[in-house]
Amino acid sequence: MHYVQTTDVHPPGSYFIDWLLFTVLGKWSLVRLFISLITAISLIYAILSTINRNGAFSGIILFILLGLNPAILLWCTSLRWYALFVPVLIWLTIVPKQQGWQYWAKCFGGLLILGYLGYAVFIVSIPILILYWVESQSRTKDKIRNFILYGILFLILYSYQLSVFLNVHIHNKDSQISSLLRSFIGFYTAQISNQGVFPLSIPGLLASIATLGIITTIFYSNFHINLKNKYFAIYLFAAIFSIITGLAGKFRNLVILVPFQALWISTAKIETPQKKLYIIFLSFLMISNLWGDFNVIIRQNTSKNDYNIPVKQILMDLSIEKEKSKNDMVILCHSRLLSWNLQNAGYLVADPFFYKPLPKKILLSKHNCIVVLKTWPGSMAEKQYKMLYDEINLLSYVNSVKYSYGRDDFYVLKKKMDTRFQEYSVEVTKYYDVENLVALKAWQPIQ
């Protein structure tokens, strides 16, 4: 907790809950299963609530947009903060029918939970407060009193974490902020297309056509009523705020907008003459979402590069190589996904992000085989990334072999957006009879 509060860019809530669940369940797979069930329950809750309030047709639309959304399947079954943040947000967007203290307790209590899970609370808090204000049937005087009372209580309970944000975490924001152009690209990827497919692929373009068609149909069908839709207002606010702050550049952050978008579209007023066209666009979107869900399930062609890495295949290959090398093999890898799996499989791994460096004896020794697993750098600084692979030239070896895993069908287009994109998700180089591992300073953990 001390480490997170003094060095990280996220509040500690998700780490604490992950640790607590792991302590009880004993396996990370069971922790993910538990979190996934929470996500599933929140989806069912939102869909059933929408059916009860707006009818079956709205519930079906919400099921397509929210229940089948690949971003939910990709991020909300993981160990990241999104996996806990989004289910709570979905629960919070369903405003209680009953008034009284429970009404405002859910509003501010839900925001407090979100505040300890992710700083995305600053994006969603105003939309949520507007939603609860508009939906409240109380007198204005009573609403103001509750706002002040619960607002003060919220600030008291969140004051410490807010001070950590202002004094520590906000200074580490550079890795989370992107340019305005990349924010627009991120918004298109996450909100117009979907995160389970490449945006310019056939299913990605199908999703874009469907989403834009749905939005156009909504406003053409009944512009004035749909413009006043409360969910449209809060979705628009959250979307604009995400873009102008640069948070949309990391399009995975926009999974927090999915509930707002889905609730807006599912509650829009569609007149009978436009309903057939609307259903056609919804069908296109459902096909794209299912396509994206399939990609997530098979770990292929999703918008997250690391997620597409064929981990099991790589582990099998390295197991054979380790046996050939008589267990004298060291792996160089900076992918957190691969490193974790390799370290847990008992391999010696040099990883600049791992807290434990290789023993000096290993660094100074000659080795039968050293394997370099080159992957997408992610948010790593360009200078550090270049230094890692420049240092590989310092190795002294007899011969080497190269091959790759997981060809990216959209490599050419991605390369134009970022020159660091690789044609394959993992480029493997095996060096034999290797010396001078100690010269690779950049591959040692940052202490």
Side-chain angles (χ1 to χ4, degrees):
M1 294 293 285
H2 174 73
Y3 177 81
V4 170
Q5 293 288 63
T6 56
T7 63
D8 203 10
V9 72
H10 301 299
S14 62
Y15 300 119
F16 176 77
I17 294 172
D18 284 343
W19 167 78
L20 189 63
L21 289 172
F22 182 75
T23 302
V24 174
L25 300 173
K27 289 184 179 181
W28 288 117
S29 57
L30 292 178
V31 174
R32 289 187 61 206
L33 174 61
F34 186 89
I35 292 171
S36 301
L37 289 173
I38 293 174
T39 298
I41 291 168
S42 73
L43 295 172
I44 294 167
Y45 168 71
I47 293 166
L48 292 179
S49 297
T50 300
I51 290 172
N52 290 333
R53 297 179 187 202
N54 303 99
F57 185 65
S58 290
I60 291 169
I61 297 171
L62 194 66
F63 170 71
I64 294 171
L65 271 69
L66 187 63
L68 296 180
N69 196 299
I72 300 291
L73 186 60
L74 181 62
W75 299 111
C76 298
T77 57
S78 71
L79 299 173
R80 289 173 176 262
W81 63 270
Y82 320 95
L84 294 163
F85 190 98
V86 173
V88 175
L89 179 61
I90 291 171
W91 167 74
L92 194 54
T93 53
I94 306 300
V95 179
K97 288 183 178 180
Q98 73 275 15
Q99 302 296 307
W101 69 268
Q102 300 99 326
Y103 185 92
W104 297 106
K106 180 176 182 178
C107 175
F108 285 92
L111 289 175
L112 183 65
I113 295 170
L114 292 181
Y116 279 101
L117 294 174
Y119 292 125
V121 68
F122 300 130
I123 296 176
V124 304
S125 58
I126 293 178
I128 290 295
L129 290 171
I130 292 172
L131 179 63
Y132 274 73
W133 177 277
V134 171
E135 288 288 285
S136 175
Q137 303 301 313
S138 302
R139 295 177 303 171
T140 302
K141 182 180 178 180
D142 292 334
K143 287 198 278 190
I144 292 173
R145 185 181 70 248
N146 282 315
F147 245 67
I148 293 172
L149 176 64
Y150 284 94
I152 291 172
L153 184 60
F154 171 88
L155 289 174
I156 291 172
L157 296 174
Y158 196 62
S159 58
Y160 174 73
Q161 193 59 44
L162 184 61
S163 72
V164 173
F165 170 74
L166 295 173
N167 292 299
V168 180
H169 291 164
I170 197 170
H171 301 299
N172 302 327
K173 69 181 186 302
D174 290 347
S175 64
Q176 304 296 311
I177 303 298
S178 303
S179 66
L180 189 61
L181 175 61
R182 291 192 71 87
S183 284
F184 276 112
I185 293 172
F187 182 81
Y188 170 81
T189 300
Q191 293 289 292
I192 307 299
S193 182
N194 78 61
Q195 295 192 46
V197 298
F198 181 61
L200 300 180
S201 64
I202 291 174
L205 293 173
L206 185 66
S208 303
I209 292 169
T211 303
L212 294 173
I214 287 169
I215 294 171
T216 303
T217 306
I218 285 172
F219 286 115
Y220 177 78
S221 181
N222 204 321
F223 180 80
H224 294 291
I225 290 180
N226 288 322
L227 188 65
K228 295 176 182 178
N229 186 310
K230 56 183 177 290
Y231 290 116
F232 172 67
I234 62 177
Y235 173 61
L236 186 64
F237 176 89
I240 292 173
F241 191 75
S242 299
I243 292 170
I244 63 175
T245 57
L247 293 172
K250 279 192 169 182
F251 47 80
R252 60 176 178 257
N253 290 335
L254 296 184
V255 68
I256 66 170
L257 299 187
V258 170
F260 294 145
Q261 185 197 55
L263 284 167
W264 162 48
I265 293 176
S266 66
T267 57
K269 176 71 173 175
I270 306 297
E271 304 296 344
T272 303
Q274 288 79 44
K275 209 155 194 178
K276 186 175 181 180
L277 180 62
Y278 186 69
I279 291 172
I280 290 172
F281 284 129
L282 276 173
S283 300
F284 288 167
L285 188 62
M286 183 173 70
I287 292 169
S288 177
N289 276 355
L290 288 171
W291 199 317
D293 289 333
F294 181 73
N295 284 350
V296 173
I297 291 167
I298 66 171
R299 291 180 167 267
Q300 185 175 313
N301 293 324
T302 72
S303 59
K304 178 170 171 52
N305 291 286
D306 250 16
Y307 191 84
N308 301 327
I309 293 175
V311 177
K312 290 183 179 179
Q313 189 178 352
I314 292 171
L315 287 172
M316 287 176 61
D317 174 69
L318 292 177
S319 176
I320 295 170
E321 187 62 52
K322 186 178 180 181
E323 190 175 336
K324 288 181 181 177
S325 303
K326 299 177 181 178
N327 292 331
D328 185 14
M329 183 173 74
V330 180
I331 300 171
L332 275 59
C333 174
H334 56 77
S335 162
R336 278 80 178 270
L337 169 70
L338 280 174
S339 288
W340 187 89
N341 280 281
L342 291 167
Q343 287 154 4
N344 279 273
Y347 291 94
L348 285 171
V349 182
D351 178 354
F353 300 109
F354 188 49
Y355 71 93
K356 188 177 180 181
L358 290 175
K360 194 168 184 179
K361 180 181 177 181
I362 298 295
L363 296 174
L364 294 172
S365 301
K366 181 179 179 180
H367 298 283
N368 292 337
C369 181
I370 286 181
V371 181
V372 178
L373 302 177
K374 187 178 183 182
T375 53
W376 160 248
S379 58
M380 186 192 301
E382 175 63 29
K383 183 179 178 181
Q384 183 183 7
Y385 185 63
K386 184 176 184 301
M387 190 181 298
L388 288 175
Y389 291 99
D390 284 346
E391 284 191 354
I392 298 296
N393 297 322
L394 300 176
L395 291 174
S396 174
Y397 58 93
V398 175
N399 64 311
S400 64
V401 175
K402 292 186 178 182
Y403 57 94
S404 302
Y405 291 102
R407 188 178 187 279
D408 191 329
D409 295 334
F410 307 100
Y411 156 74
V412 175
L413 288 171
K414 291 182 179 181
K415 188 81 171 175
K416 291 178 180 179
M417 294 186 288
D418 191 325
T419 56
R420 299 180 302 173
F421 271 111
Q422 302 175 180
E423 185 173 359
Y424 293 84
S425 61
V426 183
E427 296 176 0
V428 183
T429 308
K430 295 178 181 177
Y431 300 91
Y432 297 100
D433 298 321
V434 191
E435 293 183 282
N436 205 29
L437 184 61
V438 70
L440 278 57
K441 305 295 183 184
W443 287 92
Q444 293 303 301
I446 301 170
Q447 300 295 321

